[in-house]
Amino acid sequence: MITEIQHYWNHRIHDLEMTDQPVGTRGFFDELDDYRYDKLRYLPQLVDFSAYKGQRLLEVGCGIGTDLVRFAGGGARVTGVDLAQTAIELAQKNFALHGLPAEELRVANGEALPYPDGSFDVVYGHGVVQYTADAAQLIRECHRVLKPGGTGIFMVYNRVSWLNALSKVMKVPLEHEDAPVLVKYSIGEFKALLAPFAEVRIVPERFPVKSRLHGGWKGLAFNTFFVGTFNALPRAWVRPLGWHLMAFCRKQQ
C-alpha cells in the first residue's frame, strides 16, 4: 500500500491547477502560497510559524514545503520528509529560492521515520494522517521522535463536517478523493488516534471561503449563496462542523 501511495503523490502536486507559472519557479511557489493561505485563512492565525525559533521541527508529509518555509523563516531548525521524490525536489527548490536553510529534506515514510527517539521539539503533519496506510503507526512514530514535553500538531478531515455533507449533496468530489487511502475522522475518533499523547486539544477549523477551483452553476451557487449564508451563522453553532480538525498535542515530560 505504501508503494501505491508513493506512486500517487509522485504524480500529483497538490493545488497545481491553481497556478500557470512554470513548475519550480519563484512565481510558482508564490502563487501556491497565496492560494493555500487564502483557502486556509485560519492556519497562520492558529499556528504561529514564528513561535518555534531555535527549536528542531519535523514536518511529516511536507509536500513542496509551503508551511515548512514559513517555519524556517520564523527561525525554526527544520527537517521535512515526504514519500514523494517529486515533492522533496520541489521543496528543495522552494528553500533555495527563499534563501532559507533546512537541516534535511528527504524522501521517507512517516510510518517508519529515520530518526532516533526524542530528536525533535515539534512534529507537524497538516493533511497527511488521513492519506497514510496506517495512521496509528504514523502517530506512534511522530510521538516517538518527539522529545519529552514536545509538541505535535496534526490536521485531519472531519467526517461530520459541512464540506463532507455538501460534497455528497452536490455530487462534487473532494480533492484527492481518488487517493489510495483517504480516511475522514469524527472528533472522537481523532482523539482516540492521538491516545499516545498526554495532552490533546482539538480545534475544528476551515469554514467556507469562495472557491477558485470549481466553476459552472455549482461553483456559482457555492460562492454566491452558500459561503455567505453559512458564515452568517453564529460560529459557536457551526464550529463542530469545520472541515479541518486541528490537534495540538503534548508528549509526557
Side-chain angles (χ1 to χ4, degrees):
M1 179 58 74
I2 287 293
T3 302
E4 291 178 48
I5 295 169
Q6 185 175 45
H7 182 268
Y8 178 91
W9 291 105
N10 258 320
H11 293 85
R12 307 293 178 96
I13 301 171
H14 195 55
D15 296 330
L16 180 61
E17 61 269 37
M18 301 319 303
T19 178
D20 57 6
Q21 295 293 315
V23 174
T25 63
R26 181 60 186 260
F28 168 84
F29 293 115
D30 285 349
E31 287 200 0
L32 290 188
D33 180 274
D34 175 72
Y35 174 65
R36 178 170 178 79
Y37 299 112
D38 177 51
K39 183 175 66 172
L40 308 184
R41 295 174 190 179
Y42 76 85
L43 190 54
Q45 299 169 15
L46 204 57
V47 177
D48 183 354
F49 292 109
S50 64
Y52 304 98
K53 186 174 183 179
Q55 296 186 42
R56 292 198 72 206
L57 182 146
L58 169 67
E59 182 174 5
V60 178
C62 66
I64 65 172
T66 306
D67 290 349
L68 201 58
V69 160
R70 294 207 172 196
F71 282 117
R77 297 161 54 201
V78 303
T79 295
V81 299
D82 200 285
L83 266 180
Q85 180 70 40
T86 303
I88 291 299
E89 289 172 358
L90 285 169
Q92 290 167 343
K93 289 181 181 178
N94 199 358
F95 270 78
L97 286 167
H98 281 89
L100 290 168
E103 291 195 343
E104 187 172 42
L105 297 168
R106 65 176 288 183
V107 174
N109 178 5
E111 296 178 20
L113 291 167
Y115 302 108
D117 296 358
S119 296
F120 298 95
D121 301 290
V122 184
V123 176
Y124 178 80
H126 190 283
V128 63
V129 175
Q130 57 265 50
Y131 292 114
T132 198
D134 188 339
Q137 175 60 19
L138 185 144
I139 293 297
R140 286 192 293 270
E141 277 292 275
C142 291
H143 182 269
R144 179 185 66 78
V145 301
L146 270 175
K147 296 177 182 177
T151 299
I153 304 172
F154 306 100
M155 182 279 282
V156 299
Y157 298 143
N158 184 3
R159 182 163 49 78
V160 189
S161 65
W162 67 270
L163 186 55
N164 199 41
L166 188 66
S167 171
K168 295 180 187 305
V169 170
M170 300 293 287
K171 302 189 184 310
V172 175
L174 299 167
E175 290 179 274
H176 301 295
E177 200 166 62
D178 61 338
V181 176
L182 173 56
V183 180
K184 291 164 274 189
Y185 296 84
S186 69
I187 292 173
E189 289 163 348
F190 194 25
K191 283 182 178 177
L193 185 67
L194 298 167
F197 289 93
E199 299 174 26
V200 175
R201 177 173 65 96
I202 293 180
V203 182
E205 266 296 349
R206 199 188 160 192
F207 303 102
V209 297
K210 290 185 178 181
S211 174
R212 304 185 197 178
L213 189 59
H214 298 104
W217 73 266
K218 292 181 180 179
L220 183 65
F222 177 82
N223 286 337
T224 59
F225 175 73
F226 183 78
V227 172
T229 302
F230 189 98
N231 286 307
L233 296 171
R235 187 60 85 220
W237 295 2
V238 298
R239 177 160 293 282
L241 304 177
W243 171 231
H244 288 182
L245 298 178
M246 291 288 297
F248 297 86
C249 311
R250 184 75 59 186
K251 185 174 180 177
Q252 183 73 42
Q253 281 280 7

